[in-house]
Amino acid sequence: MSAVRGARERARIEVTAAIKDEARRQLAAEGAAKLSLRAVARELGMVSSALYRYFASRDELLTALIVDAYDAVGEAAERAHRTAAADGSVPVGGHATPLSRWVAVACAVRDWALAHPHEYALIYGSPVPGYTAPQATVAPASRVGLVLIAIVEDAHREEGLALPPLADELRPEAERLAADLAPGLPPAVAAPLVAAWSQLFGLLSFEIFGQFNRVVEAREVFFRHAVTELARTVGLLGNRR
């Protein structure tokens, strides 16, 4: 009985993967707004009633694709952080600086976005009409931000952060952000960190969606310089290890 159940589970995993792959092809061809379970079923040679046993609605399938995309870019960021943190070839004391880790993570996110532009558009592009993301997307969507927070927390704990004074009018919001998102960091860095996170994806969106066409040519160099400047806003350039 367990062998039969195992075979059924493997078959379900394979069919689920095939449904997602076809849905991603439709995203690339038609965009998320036109994603249709019936069209996916037709391309896979399935009757639509069979597909509904895997995904009860278009929104459920969209959520699965969104979670997969967030997890994929999050894993790219986390892997880059682990690799940079363990890199003994970095010349400063034989260790990666917080700045070098920040840049490595940002570049890994960019590499993922360039390799998966349609999945990037699904999670960072225009909202899909009629779709409301459920709570299940929140944790996957947080993974890149949590990596950036971890880098800044390490720098703060080890050698401190070089930050300008916090403006009085921003203090209440900065204190709320610190309490909600980064309780291990002072309020003075919480607001710049949220701004840097949003600007990182603003840079990527301009590149992915074509706003840099005929404007920025040396895009990798431009991006690395820009995210290094973002690091300055969260105090990383004042740290050396």
Side-chain angles (χ1 to χ4, degrees), residues 67-227:
V67 167
D68 284 354
Y70 277 131
D71 278 337
V73 68
E75 172 57 29
E78 291 162 1
R79 183 169 56 249
H81 186 212
R82 290 192 300 269
T83 301
D87 186 1
S89 67
V90 178
V92 180
H95 299 284
T97 64
L99 173 60
S100 69
R101 283 181 275 155
W102 174 282
V103 173
V105 167
C107 288
V109 172
R110 177 177 180 266
D111 289 344
W112 180 88
L114 291 174
H116 304 88
H118 302 294
E119 291 168 71
Y120 179 90
L122 177 63
I123 55 178
Y124 292 112
S126 299
V128 180
Y131 174 79
T132 300
Q135 187 69 22
T137 62
V138 173
S142 303
R143 290 176 68 173
V144 172
L146 290 174
V147 174
L148 298 177
I149 289 171
I151 293 170
V152 178
E153 285 179 336
D154 286 348
H156 175 59
R157 182 172 54 252
E158 293 168 8
E159 294 190 10
L161 300 168
L163 291 166
L166 180 62
D168 289 341
E169 63 269 24
L170 186 57
R171 181 170 296 279
E173 180 64 10
E175 290 176 347
R176 185 194 65 80
L177 288 170
D180 289 350
L181 303 176
L185 290 172
V189 74
L193 186 52
V194 171
W197 168 65
S198 64
Q199 289 172 68
L200 166 62
F201 287 101
L203 285 165
L204 293 172
S205 293
F206 263 53
E207 183 169 6
I208 297 298
F209 301 139
Q211 281 89 348
F212 280 157
N213 290 351
R214 292 183 290 183
V215 178
V216 178
E217 295 183 358
R219 294 181 184 172
E220 182 175 355
V221 172
F222 180 87
F223 180 81
R224 292 180 68 90
H225 177 78
V227 297

